[in-house]
Amino acid sequence: MAFPSLLTSKPRLRISLLSLSSHFLIHSIPYSSSSSRCRRQPTVPPESPPVAKKVPFTVSAHGKMWQDPYHWMRNTSDPDFVEHLNHENAYAQAFMSDTLHLQRTLFDEMRSRMPTTQISTSPMPWGPWLYYQYIPEGKEYPVMCRMLAMETGGWFKKILSYARGLFGTEQILLDWNEIAEQYGYVHVGSCRISPNQNFLAYTLDTTGGEQFVLQIKDLRNGSIIPRKQVHGVVSLAWTQDGSTLFYTIADENQRPYRVLCTKIGSDEIDNCQVFTEADSSFCVDIASTKDGKFVTVNSNSRTSSEEGITLFSFIKIFLVYVIDATSPLGGLRRIHKRIPDVQCFLEHHYGVFYTLTNAPLSENKKWSCGNFYLARCNVEDTRPSNWQNILPGGNMSFEDMEIFDGHLVLFANKKDNPMLCSIDLPISSNVKGSLRLEDLDPWIFPLPADHCSIAPGPNLSFMSSVYHVVLSSPVMPDMIVDYDMSKRTFSIVQQEEVRGVSSDGGFSTQHSKLCTPEPFELKNNEKHGLHSELWKWNELSDTYCCKRKEVVSHDGVTIPLTILYSRRAWQRGHSPGLLQGYGAYGEVLEKNWCPNRLSLLDRGWVLAFADVRGGNGGDSSWHKSGSGLNKKNSIYDFLSCANYLVDENYVHKERLGAIGFSAGGLLVGAAMNLQPDLFHAAILKVPFLDICNTLLDPSLPLTILDYEEFGNPKIESQFESILSYSPYNHIRSDTCYPAMLVTASFHDSRVGVWEPAKWVARIRDCTCHDCSLSVIMKTNMSGGHFGEGGSYSYCKEAAYDYAFLIKTLGGLNNSK
């Protein structure tokens, strides 16, 4: 399981997508390929599921009226509602009681694959220190540490030895386990070390409600600096000397709207207001430039991704200010004004601002929103007319950048393939007009040939010439790679230890380490500075097959579909399968390595990932074509991918399941309403299902911010669009629906617990009675949107989910 790094040098997206697994129970679940009107097959408990009470309530909008008898569930303090959730949990427990052995088997499998000590981040040098993060043996959560750098040779082995307690001592900066033991729940949001490395600022949630409290720790003596508690803190940024901290706070609707600052050890400068965004449709985010010279203040229309961490590619309307970090109270300076559909990311390098943006270069230039380009301007004069386009997007889409003392790193997407390269800095000031990328003699980083995802490491030091990256794919365990941008060489620092995989791909109690490079064919050729001694990242592609297919959707657009299965266990036309999708906020559907999946793959399952519109597709058009008035495209895309799996015999037509997390639950719920006979099981994790009623209530957290993604129901045309696919409003009467596992969290501030509760109540009330007996709801009564979060808790949850899938869809491999 990937935990959010506490060492990130700037905000990055943290993805918490589900991985799944399974085993046994095949003898107790009769499986038949014959079809019938009612598809209910799994054993159900003798007791009946809960029946929710109905209270008359009328909803009206734009002249339309409808009844919502479960509206009363919005009152989470109602004792009847709490009792109802407890009854649902009891029914779910009874339904899953015949899978307890299976769950234990799955959990033991997953736990046995976990390395004894999990290195969550590669050790990062910064000044005299090496920073790293790991999960101690037998613990649920990470520990953030540092130690003084001793010598360059073999430093990673020294860190590993420290982590395993073989010698020496380490300075523990933050231990999640201690916080969890004290409060029972822990969620660390933002975390920033001061440039002088004397202080650690972090935000802490101990309830699950995401009301983060600011904490500042003095690393010189290990004490928390006493101060008045500040709640609702979102993002953090230090000044260059490490004495002043800027932070944003959220309003009652969880909208970051105000920037404040505090000076360490000063009573005069404490919680001083720097900027306030009065428009309720805009959020405020702050960040430090890599060199620490400036703090950027960004007011934009969508700051938070689904995972609550700022991601540049989501932001739609940007207003950018900068604060001189050497003069923190010297006022704001505007760099970009708001322009609809404009996105912008700002960095600084020795008196020059660099921006990655799709904004017009000047107010007089005819412009239409498109791909991003790289531009620059001297700090002294940032008028729009003075910005120079250095690199137009051209046939590739730039997605992000990072600046170092002597290098600029660019993230790009070319024909749906990720590309990473570095350019030497400074770029000549004599350059007139725009250039081609090859004119700047880039070093294209060597990457595995296919299905690779790239996640930058912390990269804390501006002065470094080494870029740390985590590479991963569905068939390649996570690997930490160092790219030396000065020497144009790379080295594999570490690859995740793989345990419990035998040579034939089946489960084994033995383990192996895939850490030794082997020769391989690079994606890039030698003209980009690669050595003739080629190396291969270790992967499991001989055992597990990962294919990328293009599926034609309803309107002729091709949708990327990634298909994963075991070469040994998969049986064409007979295997069960699980399709996952998300399709919102421009987010990437992560397909990283996940060892838990092996428990499904080794039992013959097919796991597929649909990159539907509304998610990330290389440029902004992919997001736009699946959001707002175009949201139905993402639903049709998902259905097209599901039908493809059946039509091409990857999955048996009666053994296809679907899974969606949060906004992905909306995708799956809407797809089931359109084709309820296509899927035979579904898992909806904290699903956003009651979208029409939720967006009609602007008092709910995040609702106004979601208008941009889904539409504003106050506008009739957008209301009609939202209502046309809202899952809760389109449940079919007297129809067979798939078996369902629906999860919720009582303290979820993003998706109210009532949304999945109302969905399940209405499914039971309206649809086929026999099928509805296989619909269960499991509510975490103490956690938030992201659940418990610990590594063992994560395995336990996955084992439960996989057991549900095997119970409802069956499995092929009955070797145990």
Side-chain angles (χ1 to χ4, degrees):
M1 176 183 180
F3 287 93
S5 172
L6 299 181
L7 300 173
T8 46
S9 56
K10 65 176 179 177
R12 294 280 183 186
L13 175 66
R14 174 170 62 85
I15 301 293
S16 299
L17 295 178
L18 194 67
S19 57
L20 303 167
S21 120
S22 41
H23 185 72
F24 147 88
L25 203 67
I26 308 304
H27 293 309
S28 62
I29 303 173
Y31 173 76
S32 170
S33 60
S34 61
S35 61
S36 61
R37 180 184 178 275
C38 180
R39 304 174 303 176
R40 181 175 63 83
Q41 295 173 7
T43 305
V44 298
E47 60 264 35
S48 299
V51 177
K53 72 177 183 181
K54 294 182 178 181
V55 178
F57 185 84
T58 302
V59 185
S60 61
H62 299 289
K64 293 190 174 182
M65 300 176 64
W66 63 93
Q67 294 299 312
D68 184 9
Y70 303 113
H71 177 82
W72 66 272
M73 293 183 177
R74 278 276 305 275
N75 181 11
T76 57
S77 61
D78 186 335
D80 287 348
F81 183 55
V82 175
E83 183 181 12
H84 175 74
L85 295 180
N86 289 330
H87 287 164
E88 288 285 9
N89 280 342
Y91 182 76
Q93 183 178 6
F95 182 90
M96 295 292 289
S97 61
D98 57 354
T99 71
L100 293 178
H101 177 73
L102 170 59
Q103 292 180 52
R104 287 192 294 268
T105 300
L106 295 172
F107 177 76
D108 290 343
E109 270 186 35
M110 297 175 192
R111 185 176 58 182
S112 67
R113 294 192 190 104
M114 296 168 61
T116 54
T117 299
Q118 302 177 60
I119 303 297
S120 302
T121 62
S122 60
M124 291 291 107
W126 187 16
W129 296 96
L130 290 174
Y131 291 86
Y132 57 100
Q133 184 174 296
Y134 70 96
I135 303 174
E137 183 175 358
K139 296 292 187 179
E140 286 269 10
Y141 300 100
V143 176
M144 179 186 180
C145 307
R146 72 178 180 183
M147 73 173 193
L148 289 171
M150 300 178 190
E151 55 201 69
T152 55
W155 55 266
F156 181 73
K157 291 183 178 179
K158 293 181 183 294
I159 289 292
L160 208 55
S161 296
Y162 267 76
R164 291 174 174 167
L166 299 182
F167 71 91
T169 57
E170 62 192 0
Q171 183 180 1
I172 296 177
L173 308 183
L174 190 62
D175 187 342
W176 262 318
N177 299 283
E178 289 184 356
I179 301 172
E181 289 173 6
Q182 181 179 357
Y183 295 100
Y185 178 87
V186 57
H187 184 181
V188 175
S190 300
C191 190
R192 298 289 180 268
I193 297 170
S194 62
N196 60 14
Q197 303 183 64
N198 289 335
F199 303 102
L200 171 66
Y202 61 97
T203 62
L204 182 64
D205 171 27
T206 57
T207 67
E210 296 187 65
Q211 282 296 311
F212 291 92
V213 175
L214 175 63
Q215 303 271 26
I216 303 176
K217 185 175 183 179
D218 190 331
L219 300 181
R220 296 167 296 184
N221 56 31
S223 64
I224 300 295
I225 296 176
R227 62 192 315 277
K228 183 180 179 181
Q229 280 199 342
V230 180
H231 295 267
V233 178
V234 181
S235 53
L236 307 170
W238 287 98
T239 56
Q240 190 176 27
D241 64 0
S243 67
T244 303
L245 177 70
F246 290 88
Y247 56 93
T248 61
I249 58 172
D251 61 16
E252 64 277 4
N253 288 329
Q254 294 189 339
R255 176 182 70 96
Y257 78 110
R258 178 169 291 166
V259 180
L260 300 98
C261 76
T262 183
K263 186 175 179 65
I264 305 299
S266 171
D267 294 330
E268 296 179 2
I269 305 176
D270 189 25
N271 302 332
C272 292
Q273 295 187 26
V274 176
F275 175 80
T276 298
E277 176 55 77
D279 191 325
S280 60
S281 61
F282 289 86
C283 299
V284 178
D285 174 56
I286 56 173
S288 298
T289 56
K290 185 79 173 190
D291 60 2
K293 301 286 188 182
F294 293 91
V295 173
T296 61
V297 178
N298 311 310
S299 179
N300 46 73
S301 60
R302 181 75 192 179
T303 301
S304 295
S305 75
E306 185 66 28
E307 299 302 329
I309 295 201
T310 304
L311 183 66
F312 146 67
S313 61
F314 298 165
I315 298 166
K316 293 298 188 66
I317 305 177
F318 227 100
L319 176 64
V320 182
Y321 295 95
V322 294
I323 300 171
D324 187 338
T326 62
S327 178
L329 299 182
L332 297 168
R333 177 182 173 192
R334 195 178 77 177
I335 302 297
H336 282 291
K337 67 177 184 179
R338 283 187 183 131
I339 302 174
D341 292 319
V342 161
Q343 306 174 37
C344 174
F345 180 72
L346 192 70
E347 263 294 358
H348 174 259
H349 186 267
Y350 293 106
V352 177
F353 282 132
Y354 286 86
T355 183
L356 206 56
T357 183
N358 61 347
L361 280 176
S362 71
E363 296 179 354
N364 299 322
K365 184 174 180 179
K366 186 177 179 181
W367 170 85
S368 61
C369 181
N371 286 345
F372 295 89
Y373 63 89
L374 178 69
R376 69 178 177 185
C377 183
N378 289 330
V379 170
E380 290 78 12
D381 192 346
T382 57
R383 288 176 297 178
S385 59
N386 287 343
W387 286 89
Q388 177 192 8
N389 184 348
I390 302 226
L391 285 176
N395 62 351
M396 68 179 67
S397 173
F398 295 127
E399 296 181 343
D400 207 347
M401 69 173 177
E402 194 152 358
I403 280 184
F404 296 83
D405 177 60
H407 307 279
L408 166 66
V409 178
L410 283 171
F411 284 73
N413 188 294
K414 188 174 183 179
K415 297 180 180 178
D416 290 331
N417 290 313
M419 189 184 81
L420 197 59
C421 70
S422 65
I423 298 168
D424 292 343
L425 289 179
I427 298 172
S428 173
S429 59
N430 295 325
V431 171
K432 304 298 181 185
S434 60
L435 301 170
R436 298 175 303 169
L437 182 62
E438 50 266 36
D439 294 334
L440 296 174
D441 187 29
W443 181 38
I444 311 294
F445 292 1
L447 298 172
D450 297 302
H451 316 299
C452 177
S453 66
I454 306 168
N459 295 298
L460 300 173
S461 176
F462 172 73
M463 300 305 296
S464 178
S465 63
V466 176
Y467 195 67
H468 306 272
V469 174
V470 179
L471 304 179
S472 182
S473 86
V475 293
M476 185 182 74
D478 290 2
M479 180 192 317
I480 300 169
V481 180
D482 282 357
Y483 293 97
D484 191 317
M485 297 176 286
S486 294
K487 298 178 181 178
R488 298 198 168 187
T489 60
F490 71 96
S491 59
I492 299 172
V493 176
Q494 178 206 10
Q495 187 164 21
E496 181 178 328
E497 183 179 353
V498 179
R499 300 159 58 92
V501 180
S502 65
S503 58
D504 66 353
F507 179 76
S508 168
T509 57
Q510 303 297 315
H511 71 273
S512 60
K513 293 183 180 180
L514 301 183
C515 298
T516 306
E518 300 172 359
F520 88 121
E521 180 180 352
L522 286 171
K523 176 187 290 187
N524 314 111
N525 55 43
E526 294 186 25
K527 76 176 183 177
H528 294 302
L530 303 181
H531 298 291
S532 58
E533 301 86 9
L534 302 179
W535 299 92
K536 181 176 182 179
W537 332 106
N538 282 294
E539 55 183 40
L540 301 179
S541 57
D542 291 339
T543 303
Y544 302 102
C545 180
C546 185
K547 294 181 177 180
R548 180 184 169 95
K549 297 293 184 179
E550 299 290 336
V551 177
V552 179
S553 191
H554 69 107
D555 55 358
V557 175
T558 56
I559 311 303
L561 176 66
T562 303
I563 304 173
L564 180 64
Y565 59 85
S566 165
R567 298 183 188 276
R568 177 187 60 86
W570 173 63
Q571 295 181 23
R572 177 175 288 276
H574 294 282
S575 282
L578 185 68
L579 178 64
Q580 180 172 318
Y582 188 77
Y585 303 112
E587 281 194 17
V588 176
L589 180 62
E590 289 293 336
K591 297 172 280 291
N592 294 344
W593 168 257
C594 177
N596 287 351
R597 293 193 191 116
L598 302 184
S599 292
L600 280 183
L601 297 173
D602 291 345
R603 289 168 175 82
W605 282 69
V606 173
L607 301 180
F609 308 86
D611 285 299
V612 302
R613 281 172 284 184
N616 184 289
D619 60 49
S620 59
S621 64
W622 195 256
H623 176 212
K624 290 180 180 179
S625 61
S627 62
L629 295 175
N630 300 314
K631 180 59 186 174
K632 279 189 175 179
N633 283 335
S634 66
I635 302 165
Y636 292 132
D637 294 348
F638 192 75
L639 289 170
S640 297
C641 290
N643 282 295
Y644 179 90
L645 292 172
V646 172
D647 295 342
E648 297 299 319
N649 288 319
Y650 283 101
V651 176
H652 189 281
K653 65 179 181 179
E654 294 181 10
R655 309 184 79 180
L656 177 62
I659 182 169
F661 179 93
S662 197
L666 184 158
L667 178 74
V668 175
M672 284 192 294
N673 284 337
L674 289 174
Q675 279 190 256
D677 60 341
L678 178 59
F679 303 101
H680 286 247
I683 297 180
L684 305 176
K685 310 289 286 187
V686 289
F688 186 25
L689 297 165
D690 192 18
I691 179 174
C692 190
N693 287 322
T694 293
L695 293 185
L696 281 169
D697 187 351
S699 69
L700 291 173
L702 305 180
T703 289
I704 295 176
L705 299 180
D706 269 335
Y707 287 168
E708 183 176 339
E709 180 66 26
F710 301 105
N712 184 349
K714 295 178 181 178
I715 301 171
E716 185 170 4
S717 60
Q718 296 180 27
F719 163 78
E720 296 286 353
S721 173
I722 295 166
L723 184 61
S724 70
Y725 62 79
S726 177
Y728 176 71
N729 297 90
H730 288 279
I731 295 172
R732 297 191 182 189
S733 299
D734 301 320
T735 301
C736 292
Y737 267 69
M740 276 182 250
L741 165 59
V742 183
T743 72
S745 288
F746 191 78
H747 297 292
D748 193 339
S749 60
R750 294 173 180 267
V751 178
V753 62
W754 59 86
E755 292 212 18
K758 289 173 64 176
W759 166 269
V760 171
R762 194 160 190 169
I763 286 284
R764 294 229 179 90
D765 183 42
C766 296
T767 66
C768 168
H769 173 268
D770 288 346
C771 290
S772 69
L773 297 178
S774 298
V775 175
I776 61 175
M777 179 177 174
K778 183 182 179 184
T779 302
N780 181 343
M781 300 300 291
S782 60
H785 191 68
F786 304 110
E788 297 298 332
S791 56
Y792 291 104
S793 298
Y794 180 75
C795 290
K796 186 177 180 180
E797 180 181 340
Y800 185 96
D801 295 340
Y802 288 8
F804 171 83
L805 289 171
I806 291 182
K807 172 165 182 168
T808 54
L809 293 177
L812 289 174
N813 187 341
N814 192 31
S815 60
K816 287 184 180 266

